[in-house]
Amino acid sequence: MLQHSASHPAWLQHDMEQVNARIRRQLNSEVVLIGQVVDFILHASERVRPALVLAAARALGGGGERACALAAAVELIHISLALHDDVTEASGGGADAHSAGAMFGNAGNILLGDLLYTGAFRMIVDLQDMEVMRVLSNATNAIAEGEVRYRVARGEPAACTPEDWLDIARQRRARLFEAGAECMAILLGVPPAARQALAGFGSHVGMAHTLETEAEDAVRFGVDDAQARAADERAAAQAVIRAAASAGVAEPERLALFA
């Protein structure tokens, strides 16, 4: 399981520094508030999504500028969604009912979230790969739909079964992990079996992460075994690693950080 950035292997620390540089360039601005959100992104304790994308690149024998650009774009999408979600939480509709308020104010969060989202897709356009664009566009649309489903569930918790919560969690949280890993496979032009393996790995890692970080919310909807389910997802991710070489993944051990 991925730990704090200080314990990352040297190759991942190097690649993450390149991602940080990409984000700084993309969001270079004299506007103070934009500078503040850049600092927030670069000093966040959790950078698991871009790290997963970078590990996928290395596992497939790739890396370099395009891999770092995709990782940066995935991180910007995640932070943009988190900023928008923070507004909902501040109004009492999110997973954290005790939220003190949106970090940059409601208007600031919405506008900065929009800026990061459009910035991410500018980076994706520069990759000049329509299949990458399609997968990430579909993923962000599905995530938004998952958020709507979640708000409905919060309003009518009795109507949301544990299975419903798990399905919603996979849609609104794990989907970006899946899409990021899959898009790296697309970008590197690997065989379909390797693409499928990376997508499945991302989905398992994303769901394990969700179950671990949102266990309290899971309990509210009757999912009392979140940690056990997370362990099962990690085990499924490990199974993907073991089978990955036969699917054309050159260095599957690079993925072990997440399983």
Side-chain angles (χ1 to χ4, degrees):
M1 171 184 323
L2 191 71
Q3 302 296 326
H4 189 272
S5 59
S7 64
H8 292 174
W11 62 265
L12 183 53
Q13 291 187 43
H14 171 270
D15 289 356
M16 286 296 289
E17 287 170 4
Q18 299 305 306
V19 169
N20 291 346
R22 279 270 180 176
I23 291 173
R24 288 191 189 97
R25 289 199 300 272
Q26 182 64 40
L27 299 177
N28 183 33
S29 173
E30 295 181 358
V31 177
V32 173
L33 192 58
I34 296 175
Q36 289 175 349
V37 80
V38 171
D39 286 341
F40 169 71
I41 295 169
L42 300 185
H43 295 94
S45 59
E46 180 193 289
R47 307 290 300 283
V48 65
R49 293 160 190 82
L52 174 64
V53 173
L54 295 170
R58 294 282 189 154
L60 294 168
E65 284 292 312
R66 282 161 64 81
C68 291
L70 177 60
V74 167
E75 181 71 339
L76 291 186
I77 290 171
H78 164 61
I79 298 295
S80 74
L81 295 170
L83 288 172
H84 286 165
D85 189 53
D86 201 27
V87 174
T88 307
E89 290 182 0
S91 67
D96 181 4
H98 305 290
S99 175
M103 181 173 295
F104 300 101
N106 285 355
N109 268 40
I110 292 169
L111 292 171
L112 288 168
D114 290 348
L115 177 71
L116 298 187
Y117 187 81
T118 55
F121 274 90
R122 283 175 60 192
M123 298 175 82
I124 295 163
V125 167
D126 288 344
L127 292 173
Q128 298 183 339
D129 191 310
M130 285 303 297
E131 182 65 2
V132 167
M133 174 73 79
R134 185 189 67 79
V135 169
L136 280 173
S137 296
N138 287 346
T140 52
N141 185 264
I143 292 164
E145 181 184 297
E147 290 294 343
V148 173
R149 293 177 64 199
Y150 180 69
R151 305 312 158 192
V152 172
R154 291 284 296 180
E156 302 175 10
C160 183
T161 68
E163 291 72 24
D164 291 335
W165 186 91
L166 291 165
D167 185 58
I168 291 169
R170 191 173 294 279
Q171 183 177 4
R172 65 190 280 263
R173 294 293 192 234
R175 185 66 181 272
L176 188 57
F177 287 79
E178 176 185 349
E182 181 180 5
C183 283
M184 184 52 67
I186 296 167
L187 202 60
L188 294 174
V190 300
R195 171 177 171 176
Q196 184 177 0
L198 265 293
F201 182 81
S203 180
H204 289 307
V205 170
M207 196 60 186
H209 181 269
T210 303
L211 288 161
E212 290 161 354
T213 58
E214 300 192 14
E216 248 185 81
D217 193 56
V219 170
R220 294 189 187 113
F221 291 93
V223 181
D224 299 321
D225 57 347
Q227 294 304 321
R229 287 178 180 272
D232 289 344
E233 293 287 349
R234 297 279 179 199
Q238 292 165 8
V240 172
I241 294 174
R242 290 192 295 271
S246 62
V249 178
E251 299 180 54
E253 65 277 5
R254 302 276 194 173
L255 302 172
L257 287 166
F258 302 89

